[in-house]
Amino acid sequence: MKKVFVLAIAIIMATMTMIMGGCTFFDDLFAPSDNEDADNKLQAFVDCLRNEDREGIKSLFAQNKIDEISNFDESIEELLLYYDGEYMSVERHSTGVEEDKDGGIVRKWYNMSYDVTTDAAIYRMAFYWCANDTGDKGNVGIESFYIIKATDDPNYPQYTYRGDGLWTPGINIGKVYEKSESVNI
């Protein structure tokens, strides 16, 4: 009987330890995968584009990045003029994940690339999206966004779209990576 009592106490203590100290265990257990999370973020962005929801688009960007950009609202207007058509489908090309755990602060970024098809065009989109920053919630959201029509991208369809490779904060329209020509002397 004493063994059963000790075993029951041990199970209760282990359960309480997991519940009290292991909340992140359960969060991680039921959290979407990085690809699913990135896909959900992309879908939220496309829904805002489709509905011409300026405030929705703005809310998806990192507040700290918005604060650095003097003409952010104007760039949203340019984006809404550029994006045309009714949404049809999306194709994920990649979701790169970067994580940094330093001094108790956890940060996580997605480097995402998608082709979004509407009835008017195929749009290539690339995002640098901060998914988590326990040190500064103002960093959470899109840091850098690029969009180009597939017909204007010389690398389509051979290569994944990554904008111009500079990851300039804010909304960047029609930019592509261009190799610099080095001259041999």
Side-chain angles (χ1 to χ4, degrees):
M1 185 71 162
K2 186 176 180 181
K3 288 182 183 180
V4 172
F5 179 73
V6 170
L7 181 61
I9 295 295
I11 291 172
I12 291 170
M13 289 180 66
T15 303
M16 292 302 291
T17 301
M18 284 180 62
I19 290 171
M20 294 176 74
C23 292
T24 58
F25 169 78
F26 290 109
D27 289 345
D28 290 345
L29 184 64
F30 297 109
S33 71
D34 291 329
N35 281 337
E36 291 170 327
D37 190 29
D39 290 350
N40 291 338
K41 290 177 182 329
L42 178 272
Q43 194 59 55
F45 188 83
V46 170
D47 289 345
C48 289
L49 281 175
R50 181 179 15 205
N51 297 319
E52 296 188 12
D53 181 358
R54 291 154 180 80
E55 288 304 312
I57 292 170
K58 192 171 190 174
S59 73
L60 295 174
F61 278 80
Q63 186 61 50
N64 291 346
K65 294 301 175 188
I66 292 171
D67 293 344
E68 294 174 8
I69 302 167
S70 62
N71 62 345
F72 188 77
D73 290 332
E74 291 84 2
S75 66
I76 291 175
E77 293 303 322
E78 289 175 29
L79 173 62
L80 292 174
L81 289 172
Y82 187 76
Y83 183 84
D84 187 31
E86 290 296 317
Y87 171 83
M88 295 174 62
S89 65
V90 63
E91 179 183 359
R92 177 183 351 107
H93 289 286
S94 67
T95 304
V97 180
E98 297 175 43
E99 290 187 88
D100 181 25
K101 297 177 183 177
D102 188 25
I105 296 173
V106 177
R107 294 181 181 101
K108 183 177 190 175
W109 298 270
Y110 295 142
N111 185 325
M112 307 158 35
S113 179
Y114 293 87
D115 285 349
V116 174
T117 302
T118 70
D119 58 3
I122 297 173
Y123 294 93
R124 308 202 79 203
M125 298 181 183
F127 299 81
Y128 193 69
W129 199 312
C130 181
N132 187 23
D133 186 335
T134 61
D136 187 348
K137 294 296 180 194
N139 290 329
V140 175
I142 302 168
E143 294 183 11
S144 179
F145 169 70
Y146 287 83
I147 185 170
I148 191 169
K149 292 177 183 171
T151 55
D152 296 333
D153 182 1
N155 300 311
Y156 178 77
Q158 294 86 358
Y159 298 103
T160 298
Y161 182 61
R162 295 282 182 220
D164 60 6
L166 300 176
W167 295 112
T168 304
I171 298 171
N172 303 278
I173 299 171
K175 296 183 178 182
V176 294
Y177 178 76
E178 295 180 23
K179 287 192 226 179
S180 61
E181 298 293 325
S182 60
V183 179
N184 294 330
I185 301 177

